[in-house]
Amino acid sequence: MTLPPLHALSNADLHCHSTASDGTLAPAALAERAAAAGVELWALTDHDELAGLAAAREAALDLGMAWLAGVEISVSFAGETVHMLGLGVDPRDDALAAGLAGVRSGRLERARQMAAGLAAAGHPGAFEGAMAYVGNPDLISRTHFARWLIERGVCDSMHDVFRRFLTEGKPGYVVHRWAGLGEAVRWVTGAGGQAVIAHPARYKFGPTAEYALFSEFQTHGGRGVEVVCGSHSHAEQVRYADTAIEFGLLASRGSDFHDPEESRTAFGALPDLPGKLSPVWLALAERVEQA
Ligand code: AMP
Ligand code: MN
Ligand code: MN
Ligand code: MN
């Protein structure tokens, strides 16, 4: 299969999760799904983890997709958790790998505290229950607890389980300190990639804190924002397209696919980026691999 040149390529899907973090499909199965959906340029972006990238890359190139290595880093900023994509990173970069290992290292203790909170709310056994869903023991996440609570019949949907148990102030929520914004940007840019603020509409910032997020992000060397993504409404896409113009940021597009049943958005099914925006992948031309 011959791909169009990068600038003509619109079906980029640069955000999804495998069993190396909180997705339910292995990297190669994800690649097959993305290719079958018509994705032309694909990135795997597991939470705080690079372990799925080698298998994903091999499958992507075999299937004729263009490929970018990626990661979604958990960051703490102004009392909120912010997710930052690192696109086009070199997975062999030592500082990136070490930084991510540090971010992952707090997850087990956090999970034990989450389980203690759930036990106190009448749901014992959550640690072992969530662990049964984990594909990577370094990467236990709230999603795995959510799957267990749904399996037990405590909740009937992901939305319900996060609302009742896993968000701030709820029994399974534990305040956690993730990476700093500046260090996360430096890990990504130091590894040759572009840093991108993921799904900006999901954060509970007021206008002042949101402005601070984007301006500090840029000061550290961040250059991108995810405008079109699985968790943005049309109005939110329009709003963050304006943010991209206002700050002069590159724009990204990604489904944030986790699982065929749970995910609202399928691979490759998102609207195109608004034409007035600069796609982040054009700034990563040297990092894109094609068979
Ligand atoms: P963690 O990194 O352990 O805090 O888990 C974060 C993950 O939980 C996100 O990447 C999503 O996959 C999932 N998540 C967070 N909030 C929600 C929500 N309201 N509904 C469904 N999934 C969510
Ligand atoms: Mn996730
Ligand atoms: Mn995210
Ligand atoms: Mn994600």
Side-chain angles (χ1 to χ4, degrees):
M1 192 172 96
T2 312
L3 282 164
L6 270 189
H7 66 266
L9 189 158
S10 64
N11 206 345
D13 197 317
L14 305 181
H15 187 162
C16 70
H17 300 273
S18 77
T19 45
S21 66
D22 61 348
T24 58
L25 300 181
L30 272 181
E32 276 175 33
R33 224 181 152 85
V39 172
E40 299 165 301
L41 170 62
W42 183 58
L44 174 65
T45 56
D46 276 310
H47 296 287
D48 310 321
E49 177 62 275
L50 307 171
L53 294 177
R57 173 184 175 275
E58 189 182 335
L61 297 180
D62 277 352
L63 291 158
M65 291 188 290
W67 160 256
L68 278 170
V71 63
E72 181 175 20
I73 306 179
S74 311
V75 164
S76 294
F77 180 83
E80 276 271 337
T81 297
V82 167
H83 285 172
M84 204 191 81
L85 298 169
L87 298 176
V89 291
D90 178 353
R92 295 162 306 184
D93 186 86
D94 288 338
L96 173 65
L100 295 177
V103 180
R104 288 193 301 272
S105 69
R107 280 187 178 267
L108 264 185
E109 179 52 31
R110 170 190 186 238
R112 293 203 181 278
Q113 291 178 27
M114 288 173 63
L118 289 168
H123 304 289
F127 182 81
E128 295 72 19
M131 266 297 181
Y133 284 89
V134 162
N136 171 1
D138 274 2
L139 219 293
I140 184 165
S141 86
R142 284 185 290 163
T143 316
H144 302 110
F145 283 88
R147 291 186 183 129
W148 177 74
L149 284 161
I150 292 170
E151 175 213 83
R152 300 249 301 168
V154 177
C155 296
D156 55 18
S157 71
M158 286 303 248
H159 176 78
D160 189 39
V161 74
F162 274 88
R163 188 179 58 82
R164 285 171 54 198
F165 291 101
L166 300 176
T167 43
E168 201 166 347
K170 300 301 160 64
Y173 186 81
V174 172
V175 176
H176 192 74
R177 176 98 195 132
W178 302 107
L181 181 65
E183 62 181 352
V185 173
R186 284 189 292 279
W187 298 335
V188 169
T189 54
Q194 290 285 357
V196 173
I197 299 290
H199 44 61
R202 290 246 303 259
Y203 312 125
K204 292 184 219 70
F205 291 131
T208 309
E210 190 183 78
Y211 187 90
L213 170 66
F214 282 109
S215 49
E216 288 186 34
F217 172 68
Q218 273 192 310
T219 303
H220 291 300
R223 291 184 57 204
V225 57
E226 194 175 47
V227 173
V228 172
C229 68
S231 55
H232 279 182
S233 66
H234 178 73
E236 287 163 346
Q237 287 171 31
V238 170
R239 167 148 177 237
Y240 289 99
D242 289 346
T243 303
I245 299 284
E246 179 190 348
F247 285 87
L249 291 165
L250 302 164
S252 195
R253 176 179 191 265
S255 57
D256 203 2
F257 183 84
H258 283 71
D259 170 82
E261 258 86 59
E262 289 167 14
S263 293
R264 276 187 286 172
T265 311
F267 272 127
L270 298 162
D272 285 350
L273 279 185
K276 61 183 178 177
L277 303 181
S278 306
V280 65
W281 53 91
L282 295 188
L284 287 165
E286 285 170 16
R287 312 293 305 177
V288 173
E289 289 182 67
Q290 279 177 249

